[in-house]
Amino acid sequence: MHSTMDAEEKSKEETFHYPVRRSLLQPRVWALSFVYFGMVYGLYAMSFFLSTIIAGFQESFGVEYSIVEIGLITAIPYVFGALAMYFWSRHGDRTGERVWHVAVPLFVGGVAIPIALYLSSPFTTMIAVTITCMAICAALPTFWPLPQTFLAGAGAAAGLALINSLGNSAGFFAPYITGWLADLTGTQNAGMWVVDAAMVAAGIVTLILRAAPAPDNLDVKLK
């Protein structure tokens, strides 16, 4: 296994030539940071405001839940999300396909979350929310093989760190933007539409990028 991994790393280094500086300045790495930002944006928006949305069922649908019931209902999407993460990532590993395994969940989640805003019962709304959560959880583990198709060695460490740092900044922006829009409009609708836009845009960028850049034909490796 170690020999195979070392051979794969050597092949990537010889094919793409992405040392640390080039990895940090590479537009593809920044674009992948945006893709990761989009999916993490959806994850954090749901994490912070799902319980608020469920609590709002009382006003929207005339039902009332205790704090314990809200907690249990909130857990449902994440149970199915964990299952989706496991089986979808295994399917990606088995087929070796990466791009569509990221893009499809992003599109599905992006479509499902605004649909949830306009359904007529708590049950159907939770189905749409659960689909969104499953989509986000499925996209997260299948994303990371994308940058590793062309990054290796120290360049991979730098590039992955940049993607992770910029992507996880959504954890700061998502709650503030979603909460600000809720205060501004009086509903969660505007914030969820932003989640939709972020996820769909991330899916589109994924398809545009594909898995890896064209092989690097530079004769001299950049230092």
Side-chain angles (χ1 to χ4, degrees):
M1 182 180 294
H2 281 294
S3 298
T4 300
M5 292 173 64
D6 290 342
E8 290 175 349
E9 288 293 296
K10 183 178 180 180
S11 176
K12 284 188 287 186
E13 289 178 339
E14 293 175 347
T15 302
F16 296 109
H17 309 325
Y18 280 85
V20 172
R21 187 177 68 179
R22 192 178 181 199
S23 295
L24 294 176
L25 298 177
Q26 173 57 231
R28 176 176 290 269
V29 173
W30 285 80
L32 286 171
S33 299
F34 173 79
V35 172
Y36 193 55
F37 181 95
M39 63 180 72
V40 173
Y41 190 101
L43 177 65
Y44 276 99
M46 284 197 58
S47 299
F48 279 92
F49 291 96
L50 181 56
S51 58
T52 303
I53 294 171
I54 294 171
F57 287 168
Q58 179 175 349
E59 179 180 348
S60 302
F61 304 116
V63 296
E64 186 173 354
Y65 300 114
S66 68
I67 294 177
V68 174
E69 288 173 329
I70 292 174
L72 292 174
I73 295 172
T74 301
I76 293 173
Y78 295 102
V79 172
F80 285 94
L83 294 173
M85 178 183 289
Y86 174 75
F87 287 108
W88 189 250
S89 58
R90 285 200 63 182
H91 185 268
D93 288 341
R94 188 166 61 251
T95 62
E97 199 286 321
R98 301 302 182 188
V99 174
W100 287 99
H101 276 77
V102 177
V104 168
L106 288 172
F107 290 139
V108 170
V111 171
I113 193 63
I115 288 177
L117 302 173
Y118 302 100
L119 296 175
S120 58
S121 73
F123 179 74
T124 55
T125 300
M126 284 304 300
I127 289 176
V129 170
T130 299
I131 291 173
T132 302
C133 186
M134 291 173 67
I136 295 170
C137 290
L140 284 169
T142 55
F143 166 80
W144 288 110
L146 291 180
Q148 295 182 72
T149 58
F150 64 96
L151 294 178
L160 295 177
L162 178 64
I163 292 170
N164 192 51
S165 299
L166 294 178
N168 275 300
S169 67
F172 172 80
F173 290 107
Y176 279 102
I177 293 174
T178 306
W180 175 74
L181 289 172
D183 292 339
L184 182 67
T185 63
T187 70
Q188 298 290 342
N189 292 22
M192 294 302 102
W193 275 108
V194 173
V195 174
D196 162 61
M199 294 181 66
V200 170
I204 292 172
V205 172
T206 301
L207 293 181
I208 293 173
L209 291 175
R210 306 300 297 171
D216 197 334
N217 295 318
L218 293 177
D219 294 324
V220 179
K221 296 183 180 181
L222 299 179
K223 298 299 182 182

